[in-house]
Amino acid sequence: DLRYPDRLNCAAHLLDTALAAVGPDRRCLISATETWTYGDLDRRSDQIAEVLTTELGVLPGHRVLICGPNSPWTVACWFGVLKAGAVVVTVVPLLRSEEIATVAEIADVGVALCAPGCDAEAVKADVAGMRVVSVGGSGPDDLVARCARSPQRRFVAVQTSQDDVAMIAFTSGTTGRPKGCMHFHRDVLTIADTFAKHVLKPTADDVFTGSPPLGFTFGLGGLVIFPLAVGASTVLLERGSPEALLAAVEKHGVSVLFTAPTAYRAMLAMLEAAPDGGRDPRLLTLRRCVSAGEALPAETWRAWLAATDIKIIDGIGATELLHIFISAADDDIRPGSTGRPVPGWQAAILDADGHPVPDGEPGLLAVRGPIGCRYLADERQTSYVRHGWNYTGDTYIRDEDGYFWYQARSDDMIISSGYNIAGPEVESALLRHPSVLEAGVVGTPDPDRGQLVTAFVVLRPDTSPGEATVKELQEFVKLRIAPYKYPRVIHFVPALPRTATGKLQRFKLKDLS
Ligand code: 3SK
């Protein structure tokens, strides 16, 4: 049931529901240096709302940028801005001044709440009308100091409407001018009532952690909305490296992990079998693992199952649609497939004119459901939303049982000698070779074939990057997928270019070749 009250402030609703269910003393946010209870988060977000409205001139509907690492104060800012009736503008941290300036200009940001590191870039952005306030730095103007001085009283959350904009999440995609995706207060609750409720099924006893930044909606949902919607706790890591994830799981008894395929592979390389051949002793508390951000190869899924006995829940979401809309868990999983539409969502494979493509054939993934794409003042809205569907920009195949199989980003299909070749399929085949750590495959211009299948490979440290390895990998791929798909060119590189959210930047690979 996705009906919500007309008057709805999602931040107040989430906190009030959790407080009623688990009480103020339940652990909520855990970082390397502090642990906040639900009562702490409620109180500090009240103080932030108070400071925003009484000292910084923020009014309902104003846009407030939050730029910070995964930390309790970043979460408190998110709740405080919403309690004040303002709109959260989220970006991943480490943006440079020019990028901040673009986002601030598109979203008409009045106040920027920035952690140390981000604040200098925001000041350098020099956006007219944007006041930069540091959070967790030093000095009397810092938000934390202002909160400590503020009257320590309850802030009555602004009674927003369920379809008032709560947040504008920016997506840079893998290239192009960033797009601001507007989401309503009800959308924030909807992701907990669809993917989390029907697929993930967390409980109040769960402890969450993961690597995606809170400025990426995958991280916001997985590390804040889903745990808080059930009164669970969440471990926030400033650096979600594979080493840090393993250490956090062991130290805090984590049971739910959100990360991307690359991190699962990196952790696999670090795991040790227990003396009895069972699960690595650091991971004993883990019960749910979620992967998104990129397609999860069947090989990675199987290797993780063999090492941990856990079936990774793969999923595809989009910043435009806030969170995951196709996924599968437990016995419903078909390794290598993303899964089936999450309850509440519909998905179809269409051609560019909106006609259905038969099962078994590749086409454009189109989805519709309780959340839709609403770009802020961006003409690309009319290419994302067409024929009553959201076109995600991915090429997929639906099988006769209704499972969706990722092929490529629609603009990443390689056309070589008239064949359609999906780069990620070649990447999966390469990843099955024991010497390959990471692989990125793109089409590069070729006068004879139109495009050449070109692979960029990160080898394990003990492998030599010579011609013999090139030949071995080519033969290896030919034996596993249709031979015409094998990479005719292989470059060995120390690392692959990725976005701050971990997505492979294939356009940069094209530039490298
Ligand atoms: O990249 C994805 O699959 C994703 C998942 C959840 C939320 C947002 C995104 C972009």
Side-chain angles (χ1 to χ4, degrees), residues 129-151:
M130 181 174 86
R131 181 158 179 187
V132 179
V133 178
S134 70
V135 183
S138 55
D141 290 338
D142 188 273
L143 186 72
V144 179
R146 286 173 185 264
C147 284
R149 286 196 309 268
S150 74

Side-chain angles (χ1 to χ4, degrees), residues 12 45-46 124 140 148 187 223 247 267 270 356 376 408 423 476 485 496:
S45 54
D46 274 356
K124 199 163 135 206
D187 297 344
L223 303 177
M267 283 188 284
M270 293 169 195
L376 173 62
F476 183 86
K485 299 178 181 172
L496 295 180

Side-chain angles (χ1 to χ4, degrees), residues 122-211:
V123 170
K124 199 163 135 206
D126 194 21
V127 177
M130 181 174 86
R131 181 158 179 187
V132 179
V133 178
S134 70
V135 183
S138 55
D141 290 338
D142 188 273
L143 186 72
V144 179
R146 286 173 185 264
C147 284
R149 286 196 309 268
S150 74
Q152 308 293 307
R153 60 180 177 217
R154 295 305 319 259
F155 182 90
V156 179
V158 171
Q159 284 296 289
T160 42
S161 148
Q162 60 154 295
D163 50 10
D164 278 342
V165 175
M167 55 184 285
I168 304 173
F170 270 85
T171 168
S172 57
T174 42
T175 175
R177 182 174 161 86
K179 291 168 275 190
C181 308
M182 297 186 283
H183 293 297
F184 298 157
H185 280 262
R186 65 159 191 261
D187 297 344
V188 173
L189 304 186
T190 295
I191 61 172
D193 289 332
T194 51
F195 170 73
K197 183 172 175 188
H198 295 290
V199 183
L200 183 63
K201 301 183 180 151
T203 74
D205 293 328
D206 275 315
V207 181
F208 286 61
T209 201
S211 59

Side-chain angles (χ1 to χ4, degrees), residues 19-56:
L19 285 164
V22 297
D25 299 330
R26 167 65 65 101
R27 285 187 323 167
C28 177
L29 309 174
I30 302 160
S31 76
T33 51
E34 50 190 341
T35 297
W36 290 19
T37 62
Y38 274 89
D40 293 332
L41 176 60
D42 196 31
R43 203 172 48 253
R44 286 181 177 138
S45 54
D46 274 356
Q47 291 163 0
I48 292 172
E50 176 89 22
V51 169
L52 288 171
T53 52
T54 59
E55 297 182 27
L56 300 172

Side-chain angles (χ1 to χ4, degrees), residues 216-218 292-293 316-319 322-324 503:
F216 177 29
T217 58
F218 179 42
I316 177 172
T319 306
L322 198 50
H323 218 273
I324 291 176
K503 280 192 207 287

